[in-house]
Amino acid sequence: MSDLKYRDATADDLPGIVAIYNSTVASRMVTADSEPVSVESRRAWFFAHEPRRRPLWIVEDADGSTVGWVSFQDFYGRAAYDATAEISIYLAPDRRGRGLGCEILRYAIETVPALGVKTLLGYIFAHNEPSLRLFRGCGFEDWATLPRIAVLDGAEKSLKILGRRIG
């Protein structure tokens, strides 16, 4: 295990968060955005995160360098679903493929009960095998497939919803 540290993101972190996010756009594996996003376009999303309920964490290594970020978002936006959250994990390009995603996801699973979360969901493109392996390896199960729901560069892509009950 590495010495990862987790902290609530601040507004000063937003440019770095956007840079990591934008580094995934060209792969067409992680996000449905087809063009990089701007810092300004992500401000509302950033400020919608509540540290005690739906945090946005910066993940740092022992040297204080940013490894990536983790966000939690409401599922469906109705009170009956308050104990369900969508999780997203994004790693800096030079940190991918080192097993850090698994460590981060396991930390999130251990921590979310304190946020009132009993169910975690991951929305993952069906062709994103690395992310599917990550989530399945941490006990998530395939709960749904939405066939050909997205169009990326003219090709229809399916979306999987993976879920895990926590406690």
Side-chain angles (χ1 to χ4, degrees):
M1 289 292 222
S2 64
D3 295 320
L4 296 181
K5 297 179 233 166
Y6 302 81
R7 64 171 175 80
D8 292 325
T10 68
D12 289 341
D13 294 311
L14 188 54
I17 290 167
V18 168
I20 290 171
Y21 180 85
N22 282 339
S23 73
T24 69
V25 172
S27 73
R28 303 298 193 255
M29 295 268 293
V30 179
T31 176
D33 280 314
S34 58
E35 297 292 329
V37 300
S38 69
V39 171
E40 190 57 38
S41 73
R42 299 304 284 172
R43 285 195 192 285
W45 167 85
F46 177 86
F47 287 110
H49 288 86
E50 303 168 38
R52 284 185 222 124
R53 192 175 161 278
R54 296 292 185 260
L56 173 56
W57 294 330
I58 296 295
V59 183
E60 297 174 331
D61 64 16
D63 297 327
S65 297
T66 299
V67 169
W69 55 269
V70 182
S71 71
F72 298 90
Q73 297 184 122
D74 285 339
F75 168 76
Y76 203 61
R78 303 285 196 284
Y81 300 110
D82 279 352
T84 300
E86 175 191 355
I87 183 171
S88 298
I89 299 172
Y90 286 81
L91 296 174
D94 63 339
R95 302 304 180 105
R96 297 177 191 146
R98 298 182 181 187
L100 295 174
C102 185
E103 186 175 342
I104 293 167
L105 187 52
R106 289 190 178 160
Y107 176 83
I109 290 166
E110 292 171 7
T111 305
V112 294
L115 304 174
V117 174
K118 294 181 180 178
T119 303
L120 275 177
L121 299 174
Y123 296 3
I124 303 170
F125 281 128
H127 63 282
N128 185 346
E129 284 299 325
S131 290
L132 291 172
R133 276 193 306 275
L134 167 64
F135 276 72
R136 289 172 180 149
C138 287
F140 283 72
E141 300 173 331
D142 289 49
W143 283 3
T145 299
L146 305 175
R148 300 178 312 277
I149 194 169
V151 178
L152 296 172
D153 299 329
E156 293 181 328
K157 303 293 183 180
S158 298
L159 181 72
K160 290 197 167 285
I161 300 174
L162 277 68
R164 178 174 168 166
R165 287 286 296 169
I166 311 296

